[in-house]
Amino acid sequence: DTGVSQDPRHKITKRGQNVTFRCDPISEHNRLYWYRQTLGQGPEFLTYFQNEAQLEKSRLLSDRFSAERPKGSFSTLEIQRTEQGDSAMYLCASSVGASYGYTFGSGTRLTVV
Amino acid sequence: KNEVEQSPQNLTAQEGEFITINCSYSVGISALHWLQQHPGGGIVSLFMLSSGKKKHGRLIATINIQEKHSSLHITASHPRDSAVYICAVDGGATNKLIFGTGTLLAVQP
């Protein structure tokens, strides 16, 4: 197992287009998190899955954002009708439980032009 | 006021210097994390603390639960230590980490 994988690493898209990102967590990790990080800031929480259940969503996750984890393994984050303000690094992390720490992916950097 | 505050925001040091980065938080926590982020984005976990002190190589992390304060120390700093160091707290029941804004460290040879 090579850790948490995110794909793509970079995405440039035109305003108004839809984009989808994928996260493959460590296989035995039942908890999966999405965070968003803008330039010069720390990451901000977007959403959290335990297995396939989405248990918490941030107010940052507007109606244009949707996340899924259909079989409790990989997860996708989709942004519809992208806006320039969506430009950020989208980070995925996984865990077997808070007491055991978190493993982060390398992130997907989105640029909306 | 942010729930997690770090200082300084930027730090430049000469190779070999002893470095301290501070983190204060205002919420109840089950654990505090120190993370390292290099250009390109990937985040690496350095320490997870719930009390006392931990050491790994040239890195030392301490936490004072009563004062709601933690410090990350780097001894004998090296240019390869140049990165963003981020403090994050885990509230346990909140199912998420709350991050500080990070400290950008540049160690010059």
Side-chain angles (χ1 to χ4, degrees), chain B residues 13-19 58 74-81 106-109:
Chain B
Q14 295 297 313
E15 184 173 358
E17 285 186 2
F18 180 85
I19 289 164
R58 295 180 295 105
I74 304 175
T75 61
S77 59
H78 189 276
R80 65 175 175 265
D81 297 326
V107 181
Q108 297 179 340

Side-chain angles (χ1 to χ4, degrees), chain B residues 3-62:
Chain B
E3 293 169 299
V4 180
E5 298 274 357
Q6 283 186 240
S7 63
Q9 288 190 320
N10 295 280
L11 181 57
T12 300
Q14 295 297 313
E15 184 173 358
E17 285 186 2
F18 180 85
I19 289 164
T20 296
I21 300 170
N22 295 300
C23 175
S24 297
Y25 54 92
S26 58
V27 295
I29 69 168
S30 58
L32 181 142
H33 300 256
W34 281 104
L35 309 162
Q36 183 190 57
Q37 186 173 35
H38 281 281
I43 290 178
V44 174
S45 180
L46 298 175
F47 295 103
M48 183 172 74
L49 292 163
S50 55
S51 65
K53 176 180 175 178
K54 288 189 175 180
K55 184 175 188 292
H56 184 233
R58 295 180 295 105
L59 302 179
I60 302 166
T62 64

Side-chain angles (χ1 to χ4, degrees), chain A residues 33 35 37 43 56 99 102, chain B residues 37 48 90 94-97:
Chain A
Y33 306 80
Y35 292 89
Q37 185 179 26
E56 191 170 346
S99 301
Y102 302 83
Chain B
Q37 186 173 35
M48 183 172 74
D90 191 335
T94 59
N95 295 318
K96 60 180 176 281
L97 292 174

Side-chain angles (χ1 to χ4, degrees), chain A residues 1-7 22-26 34 92 104-107:
Chain A
D1 198 339
T2 56
V4 178
S5 298
Q6 290 191 245
D7 183 69
R22 177 178 170 124
C23 172
D24 286 88
I26 292 174
W34 285 99
C92 177
F104 286 83
S106 296

